[in-house]
Amino acid sequence: MRILFVTSTRIGDAVLSTGLLDHLLRTYPGARITVACGPVAEGVFARMPGRERTIVVAKRRFSMHWPVLWAEVARTVWDLVVDLRGSALGWMVPARRRVVMRGGRRPGHRIGHIAAVLRISPPPPPVAWFAPEDSRRAAELLGDDRPVLALGPTANWGGKVWPAERFVALAGALTGTGGPLEGARPVLLGGPGEAERVMAAPVVAALPGALNLVGGLSLPEAAALLARARLFVGNDSGLMHLSAAAGAPTLGLFGPTPADEYGPIGRAARAVVSPDDTMAGLSVESAVEAARALLPTPIPA
C-alpha cells in the first residue's frame, strides 16, 4: 500500500500529526509512506518506520510550491492521500481514497482536528521516532546519569517567550537544595539559527553550569535526549511538543497562544497559563507549582 501524507511546515504541527501516521503504520503493516512537509519539520520524520521518502516543500512566491509538489507526486496512483494542509493538491493527485483536512480555526485541540480526518476517536497521541545512534549521541553529551532538567527558552516569536530571569529562577527552585530535582543538571535546548541563539543567550549566561545544546542537535537527537529527561519546561514551541511525544514529563508555558488548542499532549504533560495572556504575567511560583505536580506522575515503560 502506498500512502501520501501531506503535513505541516512547522515542527509543532508536524509532531502532532505523528499520532495519525503511527495509526496508519499499525493499520497497514508494510505500507510505504511518502511524507511531504516543510524544511524545518523534516527531522520529525527522519527515523519513521515505513517512510519511503520525504519530500521537502519549501515555500515559493505565489504559492508555486504546490505545483512543484504536484509534479513530484502526480505520476503515482496512491492508495491513500492524507492532506492535513487542506490544499487543492489532495484533490488533484490520482488516489483510490483521499481525506483532506478542512482549514480555518475551530474549537478544540489541534490533535482532535487531525484525527478527525480519519474519524478516529480518541485521537492517537503523538510519537517521537529516534534511532540507537541518536540515543548514543545523547548519552555522550550528557556524560553521566544525573537527572536532567531540560529547558526550552526559545520560540518562533518573541511574544511566546517567558522572561529569561524566570527560567533561571525556576531552574534554581527545582534543582537547588531542597528542590524536587536537587542536583539535576539543566540542559538548554533550542533550534538552529542566530535568532534562537540570541533568544537563549541570557539564560545560557545566567546558568554557566548548564549544558548548552541550543542549535546543536538534530530533531531525532533532541527526541532521544528528551526521552531521558526527568522534566522539560519550555515555551509553546515545536520542542515542547517533541518533548511530550518523547514521553518526558512536559510543562508548556502559555501566554498569548491558546493552550486548549496547542497544549502539549503526552503521557505526562500539562500547560500552565498566564492569567493575563502575556508571558510577563506568568509567575515563577505558578510554573514551579505546576512542575512539582508533574514530577510524581508515573510514566509507563
PDB file of all heavy atoms in Angstrom, residues 222-239:
ATOM      1  N   ALA A 222      17.466  15.321  19.591  1.00  0.00           N
ATOM      2  CA  ALA A 222      16.739  16.028  20.645  1.00  0.00           C
ATOM      3  C   ALA A 222      15.679  15.132  21.271  1.00  0.00           C
ATOM      4  O   ALA A 222      15.496  15.112  22.495  1.00  0.00           O
ATOM      5  CB  ALA A 222      16.098  17.297  20.084  1.00  0.00           C
ATOM      6  N   ALA A 223      14.976  14.356  20.450  1.00  0.00           N
ATOM      7  CA  ALA A 223      13.961  13.438  20.968  1.00  0.00           C
ATOM      8  C   ALA A 223      14.595  12.390  21.886  1.00  0.00           C
ATOM      9  O   ALA A 223      14.051  12.062  22.958  1.00  0.00           O
ATOM     10  CB  ALA A 223      13.226  12.761  19.820  1.00  0.00           C
ATOM     11  N   ALA A 224      15.752  11.868  21.483  1.00  0.00           N
ATOM     12  CA  ALA A 224      16.440  10.868  22.298  1.00  0.00           C
ATOM     13  C   ALA A 224      16.874  11.451  23.638  1.00  0.00           C
ATOM     14  O   ALA A 224      16.777  10.797  24.681  1.00  0.00           O
ATOM     15  CB  ALA A 224      17.648  10.323  21.538  1.00  0.00           C
ATOM     16  N   LEU A 225      17.357  12.679  23.624  1.00  0.00           N
ATOM     17  CA  LEU A 225      17.760  13.318  24.869  1.00  0.00           C
ATOM     18  C   LEU A 225      16.545  13.597  25.750  1.00  0.00           C
ATOM     19  O   LEU A 225      16.567  13.362  26.964  1.00  0.00           O
ATOM     20  CB  LEU A 225      18.532  14.603  24.585  1.00  0.00           C
ATOM     21  CG  LEU A 225      19.170  15.262  25.808  1.00  0.00           C
ATOM     22  CD1 LEU A 225      20.511  15.883  25.455  1.00  0.00           C
ATOM     23  CD2 LEU A 225      18.257  16.326  26.413  1.00  0.00           C
ATOM     24  N   LEU A 226      15.474  14.089  25.146  1.00  0.00           N
ATOM     25  CA  LEU A 226      14.274  14.403  25.922  1.00  0.00           C
ATOM     26  C   LEU A 226      13.671  13.149  26.549  1.00  0.00           C
ATOM     27  O   LEU A 226      13.081  13.210  27.627  1.00  0.00           O
ATOM     28  CB  LEU A 226      13.251  15.105  25.027  1.00  0.00           C
ATOM     29  CG  LEU A 226      13.609  16.553  24.677  1.00  0.00           C
ATOM     30  CD1 LEU A 226      12.785  17.038  23.496  1.00  0.00           C
ATOM     31  CD2 LEU A 226      13.394  17.456  25.889  1.00  0.00           C
ATOM     32  N   ALA A 227      13.822  12.013  25.878  1.00  0.00           N
ATOM     33  CA  ALA A 227      13.307  10.761  26.436  1.00  0.00           C
ATOM     34  C   ALA A 227      14.010  10.408  27.744  1.00  0.00           C
ATOM     35  O   ALA A 227      13.475   9.629  28.543  1.00  0.00           O
ATOM     36  CB  ALA A 227      13.475   9.632  25.424  1.00  0.00           C
ATOM     37  N   ARG A 228      15.199  10.989  27.983  1.00  0.00           N
ATOM     38  CA  ARG A 228      15.952  10.742  29.216  1.00  0.00           C
ATOM     39  C   ARG A 228      15.678  11.795  30.284  1.00  0.00           C
ATOM     40  O   ARG A 228      16.141  11.664  31.429  1.00  0.00           O
ATOM     41  CB  ARG A 228      17.449  10.735  28.918  1.00  0.00           C
ATOM     42  CG  ARG A 228      17.905   9.631  27.981  1.00  0.00           C
ATOM     43  CD  ARG A 228      19.341   9.890  27.518  1.00  0.00           C
ATOM     44  NE  ARG A 228      20.288   9.991  28.627  1.00  0.00           N
ATOM     45  CZ  ARG A 228      21.171   9.062  28.953  1.00  0.00           C
ATOM     46  NH1 ARG A 228      21.234   7.937  28.259  1.00  0.00           N
ATOM     47  NH2 ARG A 228      21.997   9.237  29.954  1.00  0.00           N
ATOM     48  N   ALA A 229      14.955  12.868  29.934  1.00  0.00           N
ATOM     49  CA  ALA A 229      14.778  13.994  30.849  1.00  0.00           C
ATOM     50  C   ALA A 229      13.803  13.650  31.969  1.00  0.00           C
ATOM     51  O   ALA A 229      12.775  13.005  31.742  1.00  0.00           O
ATOM     52  CB  ALA A 229      14.287  15.217  30.080  1.00  0.00           C
ATOM     53  N   ARG A 230      14.123  14.110  33.149  1.00  0.00           N
ATOM     54  CA  ARG A 230      13.192  13.950  34.283  1.00  0.00           C
ATOM     55  C   ARG A 230      12.052  14.946  34.173  1.00  0.00           C
ATOM     56  O   ARG A 230      10.951  14.682  34.645  1.00  0.00           O
ATOM     57  CB  ARG A 230      13.960  14.153  35.596  1.00  0.00           C
ATOM     58  CG  ARG A 230      13.144  13.825  36.826  1.00  0.00           C
ATOM     59  CD  ARG A 230      12.771  12.364  36.888  1.00  0.00           C
ATOM     60  NE  ARG A 230      11.860  12.082  38.001  1.00  0.00           N
ATOM     61  CZ  ARG A 230      10.539  12.195  37.933  1.00  0.00           C
ATOM     62  NH1 ARG A 230       9.963  12.595  36.815  1.00  0.00           N
ATOM     63  NH2 ARG A 230       9.783  11.903  38.980  1.00  0.00           N
ATOM     64  N   LEU A 231      12.328  16.087  33.518  1.00  0.00           N
ATOM     65  CA  LEU A 231      11.297  17.113  33.342  1.00  0.00           C
ATOM     66  C   LEU A 231      11.740  18.049  32.233  1.00  0.00           C
ATOM     67  O   LEU A 231      12.927  18.349  32.099  1.00  0.00           O
ATOM     68  CB  LEU A 231      11.105  17.912  34.638  1.00  0.00           C
ATOM     69  CG  LEU A 231      10.122  19.087  34.594  1.00  0.00           C
ATOM     70  CD1 LEU A 231       8.683  18.589  34.438  1.00  0.00           C
ATOM     71  CD2 LEU A 231      10.240  19.943  35.869  1.00  0.00           C
ATOM     72  N   PHE A 232      10.789  18.490  31.415  1.00  0.00           N
ATOM     73  CA  PHE A 232      11.026  19.550  30.442  1.00  0.00           C
ATOM     74  C   PHE A 232      10.097  20.702  30.772  1.00  0.00           C
ATOM     75  O   PHE A 232       8.896  20.501  30.998  1.00  0.00           O
ATOM     76  CB  PHE A 232      10.737  19.080  29.010  1.00  0.00           C
ATOM     77  CG  PHE A 232      10.724  20.198  27.990  1.00  0.00           C
ATOM     78  CD1 PHE A 232      11.886  20.584  27.336  1.00  0.00           C
ATOM     79  CD2 PHE A 232       9.545  20.881  27.688  1.00  0.00           C
ATOM     80  CE1 PHE A 232      11.884  21.617  26.410  1.00  0.00           C
ATOM     81  CE2 PHE A 232       9.528  21.912  26.762  1.00  0.00           C
ATOM     82  CZ  PHE A 232      10.698  22.282  26.132  1.00  0.00           C
ATOM     83  N   VAL A 233      10.648  21.915  30.782  1.00  0.00           N
ATOM     84  CA  VAL A 233       9.851  23.135  30.942  1.00  0.00           C
ATOM     85  C   VAL A 233      10.228  24.066  29.800  1.00  0.00           C
ATOM     86  O   VAL A 233      11.422  24.362  29.602  1.00  0.00           O
ATOM     87  CB  VAL A 233      10.106  23.826  32.298  1.00  0.00           C
ATOM     88  CG1 VAL A 233       9.229  25.076  32.420  1.00  0.00           C
ATOM     89  CG2 VAL A 233       9.832  22.879  33.458  1.00  0.00           C
ATOM     90  N   GLY A 234       9.238  24.514  29.041  1.00  0.00           N
ATOM     91  CA  GLY A 234       9.564  25.375  27.914  1.00  0.00           C
ATOM     92  C   GLY A 234       8.371  26.129  27.380  1.00  0.00           C
ATOM     93  O   GLY A 234       7.209  25.848  27.717  1.00  0.00           O
ATOM     94  N   ASN A 235       8.689  27.105  26.549  1.00  0.00           N
ATOM     95  CA  ASN A 235       7.661  27.902  25.886  1.00  0.00           C
ATOM     96  C   ASN A 235       6.851  27.040  24.921  1.00  0.00           C
ATOM     97  O   ASN A 235       7.271  25.937  24.539  1.00  0.00           O
ATOM     98  CB  ASN A 235       8.314  29.057  25.116  1.00  0.00           C
ATOM     99  CG  ASN A 235       9.160  29.938  25.997  1.00  0.00           C
ATOM    100  OD1 ASN A 235       8.751  30.324  27.086  1.00  0.00           O
ATOM    101  ND2 ASN A 235      10.369  30.253  25.538  1.00  0.00           N
ATOM    102  N   ASP A 236       5.700  27.563  24.515  1.00  0.00           N
ATOM    103  CA  ASP A 236       4.894  26.918  23.481  1.00  0.00           C
ATOM    104  C   ASP A 236       5.719  26.878  22.197  1.00  0.00           C
ATOM    105  O   ASP A 236       5.970  27.908  21.575  1.00  0.00           O
ATOM    106  CB  ASP A 236       3.606  27.723  23.288  1.00  0.00           C
ATOM    107  CG  ASP A 236       2.777  27.239  22.110  1.00  0.00           C
ATOM    108  OD1 ASP A 236       2.972  26.094  21.665  1.00  0.00           O
ATOM    109  OD2 ASP A 236       1.929  28.027  21.630  1.00  0.00           O
ATOM    110  N   SER A 237       6.144  25.688  21.802  1.00  0.00           N
ATOM    111  CA  SER A 237       7.058  25.556  20.664  1.00  0.00           C
ATOM    112  C   SER A 237       7.016  24.129  20.150  1.00  0.00           C
ATOM    113  O   SER A 237       6.453  23.226  20.786  1.00  0.00           O
ATOM    114  CB  SER A 237       8.494  25.895  21.088  1.00  0.00           C
ATOM    115  OG  SER A 237       8.975  24.928  22.008  1.00  0.00           O
ATOM    116  N   GLY A 238       7.648  23.902  19.012  1.00  0.00           N
ATOM    117  CA  GLY A 238       7.782  22.558  18.496  1.00  0.00           C
ATOM    118  C   GLY A 238       8.558  21.666  19.435  1.00  0.00           C
ATOM    119  O   GLY A 238       8.264  20.464  19.571  1.00  0.00           O
ATOM    120  N   LEU A 239       9.551  22.222  20.114  1.00  0.00           N
ATOM    121  CA  LEU A 239      10.346  21.455  21.068  1.00  0.00           C
ATOM    122  C   LEU A 239       9.482  20.943  22.219  1.00  0.00           C
ATOM    123  O   LEU A 239       9.663  19.818  22.692  1.00  0.00           O
ATOM    124  CB  LEU A 239      11.489  22.322  21.594  1.00  0.00           C
ATOM    125  CG  LEU A 239      12.554  21.643  22.437  1.00  0.00           C
ATOM    126  CD1 LEU A 239      13.310  20.614  21.634  1.00  0.00           C
ATOM    127  CD2 LEU A 239      13.516  22.691  22.998  1.00  0.00           C
TER     128      LEU A 239
END
